[in-house]
Amino acid sequence: MLAAVQALPDDSLTAALSAGGREHYGWGATRHLLANLYDALSLNTRASGNWGKKGPPRLPDYPRPKSKPAESAAPEKKVTARQAILRMIGKG
């Protein structure tokens, strides 16, 4: 079963759900690269334009889905199976 999940395309619904939700559906590596290219072209236009005294306009970034929330900085202490058994029998 695990091999079947690994063989799925990176823009599949299963990959989207593991990345954080349905809003990631269709967002494979190709789409992320194209969004980065769009932002780079916008930045280049902003940097190389002749904007006068007003300065360059703020060009919007390509909209992307939100990422998964990061894990907490202090990881919880995990109890191994051996530690749990020792606690159950009263030796830990």
Side-chain angles (χ1 to χ4, degrees):
M1 178 70 175
L2 183 61
V5 172
Q6 290 175 344
L8 288 173
D10 61 349
D11 58 351
S12 68
L13 184 58
T14 304
L17 292 175
S18 68
R22 288 188 179 270
E23 64 272 6
H24 292 272
Y25 181 66
W27 277 87
T30 306
R31 192 158 180 194
H32 280 285
L33 286 172
L34 288 173
N36 288 340
L37 179 63
Y38 178 89
D39 291 343
L41 287 171
S42 295
L43 182 64
N44 185 43
T45 301
R46 187 170 193 253
S48 63
N50 186 8
W51 305 108
K53 291 184 179 184
K54 291 173 67 174
R58 173 72 176 117
L59 300 172
D61 292 337
Y62 194 85
R64 293 173 173 83
K66 301 274 189 268
S67 298
K68 267 185 172 179
E71 296 286 332
S72 63
E76 295 180 20
K77 242 185 170 178
K78 294 188 178 182
V79 178
T80 64
R82 183 176 183 272
Q83 290 171 331
I85 292 170
L86 289 174
R87 287 181 185 171
M88 286 187 339
I89 60 173
K91 293 189 177 191

